[in-house]
Amino acid sequence: EVQLVQSGAEVKKPGESLKISCKGSGYSFTNYWIGWVRQMPGKGLEWMGIIYPDDSDTRYSPSFQGQVTISADKSISTAYLQWSSLKASDTAMYYCACGSNSGRFDYWGQGTLVAVSS
Amino acid sequence: QSALTQPASVSGSPGQSITISCTGTSSDVGGYNYVSWYQQHPGKAPKLIIYDVSDRPSGVSNRFSGSKSGNTASLTISGLQAEDEADYYCSSYISSGVFGGGTKLAVL
């Protein structure tokens, strides 16, 4: 059974750094793209970026390029989403999801809630 | 990349059919057949229901179907059921991805 298990909820202050994780199991982690999707409170889904764990080929949405860093450690089947300096506007639910090279997301994690407030 | 355009809401009665449109440009929806649709119930993670314009993942009801004409993709749900009440999002991918703004489906 394919599973993506994300790290727990985070409460941070503006300016702090953060790295959340997504561990895959039940499939060949290196052969599927893993992406990150933001959902701000009461809003729609936003495509942030994807990474191919086998060679770390990474593609960002222009909206998120330079704002976050996506990485993966294939030795432990885990992908990451990282911020160097959080803003209040980063408050959202963040989902990881995996899928094929047609850009679809077949399987989703349970989501990680990030709250940023002073 | 601008978000794809979806109607904010649609509604239908049990047993009826509804169609949700998803309009983009020749640089996304119209460019390739990489259009996906997702269903999201409140408080839950999204679920893939259509990929590559019209293919259904294993286990997804055949009441869900997808199509595309030019720069507009469409999701049709036939035989509406109460459990179909959810938010629906289209997505397109060409080197980078984009979602539609989402459509809230009410089953009256």
Side-chain angles (χ1 to χ4, degrees), chain A residues 48-69:
Chain A
M48 300 178 73
I50 54 173
I51 186 167
Y52 194 68
D54 194 39
D55 61 7
S56 292
D57 182 7
T58 309
R59 295 154 193 207
Y60 293 93
S61 161
S63 301
F64 291 93
Q65 179 84 48
Q67 307 305 307
V68 297
T69 301

Side-chain angles (χ1 to χ4, degrees), chain A residues 6-7 11 36 41 43 45 64 68 78 80 83 107 111-112 115:
Chain A
Q6 298 185 229
S7 49
V11 179
W36 289 93
K43 302 298 184 182
L45 306 177
F64 291 93
V68 297
T78 300
Y80 302 96
W83 294 261
Y107 301 97
T112 295

Side-chain angles (χ1 to χ4, degrees), chain A residues 39-44:
Chain A
Q39 188 165 37
M40 300 175 76
K43 302 298 184 182

Side-chain angles (χ1 to χ4, degrees), chain A residues 37 39 43-47 50 59-62 95 101-106 108-109, chain B residues 1 34 36 38 40 44-46 48 51-52 89 91 93 95-101:
Chain A
V37 175
Q39 188 165 37
K43 302 298 184 182
L45 306 177
E46 297 175 89
W47 200 98
I50 54 173
R59 295 154 193 207
Y60 293 93
S61 161
Y95 293 101
N101 61 3
S102 69
R104 72 180 194 256
F105 291 134
D106 296 76
W108 292 69
Chain B
Q1 240 171 336
Y34 291 159
S36 306
Y38 301 86
Q40 186 181 34
K44 301 293 188 183
L48 178 69
Y51 67 94
D52 294 354
Y89 296 90
S91 177
Y93 175 78
S95 74
S96 178
V98 63
F99 284 103

